[in-house]
Amino acid sequence: SETRLLISVFAIWRSGHSKEALTSIQKYHQNILNAIVKQDKDLAMRELSEHIQESQRERVNEYDQWRRETSMRQSMPAFFDHPAITTHR
């Protein structure tokens, strides 16, 4: 179901954010706050919507990558059981 998929997407371990990503996140938050201070409801809603959509895209991309890696590990375990590969994770 769609609910289970969303739970799966948001339940996976997150690798964290790079400096660039944190800067972008801060910009989104600042733009939202600026719109609120100006009492511009439409702008605040647009900024918030854009931020949520970007976050969702990031999480779905991370989930897709996790699913591909999981599938590869299950279908080709010999490649992933090698000490040189598993110690880098």
Side-chain angles (χ1 to χ4, degrees):
S1 79
E2 188 174 320
T3 302
R4 285 186 185 173
L5 176 60
L6 286 173
I7 290 169
S8 296
V9 167
F10 288 97
I12 64 168
W13 178 80
R14 184 176 195 113
S15 60
H17 296 295
S18 65
K19 180 180 177 184
E20 293 80 17
L22 289 172
T23 300
S24 175
I25 291 166
Q26 189 276 332
K27 182 181 173 191
Y28 276 119
H29 291 181
Q30 190 62 57
N31 289 345
I32 294 164
L33 290 173
N34 290 344
I36 291 169
V37 168
K38 292 179 192 176
Q39 297 182 349
D40 188 337
K41 181 175 104 174
D42 292 333
L43 179 59
M45 289 174 59
R46 280 194 309 272
E47 294 287 350
L48 185 56
S49 176
E50 184 179 325
H51 178 40
I52 290 169
Q53 289 174 19
E54 179 62 24
S55 295
Q56 185 179 19
R57 276 191 294 274
E58 289 174 5
R59 293 299 286 171
V60 168
N61 288 341
E62 286 180 0
Y63 180 76
D64 287 343
Q65 181 177 348
W66 174 81
R67 290 288 296 156
R68 284 191 300 273
E69 289 178 4
T70 299
S71 177
M72 288 177 63
R73 287 179 188 280
Q74 291 171 349
S75 63
M76 301 180 292
F79 289 102
F80 293 95
D81 289 338
H82 191 276
I85 294 172
T86 56
T87 58
H88 287 88
R89 284 230 156 271

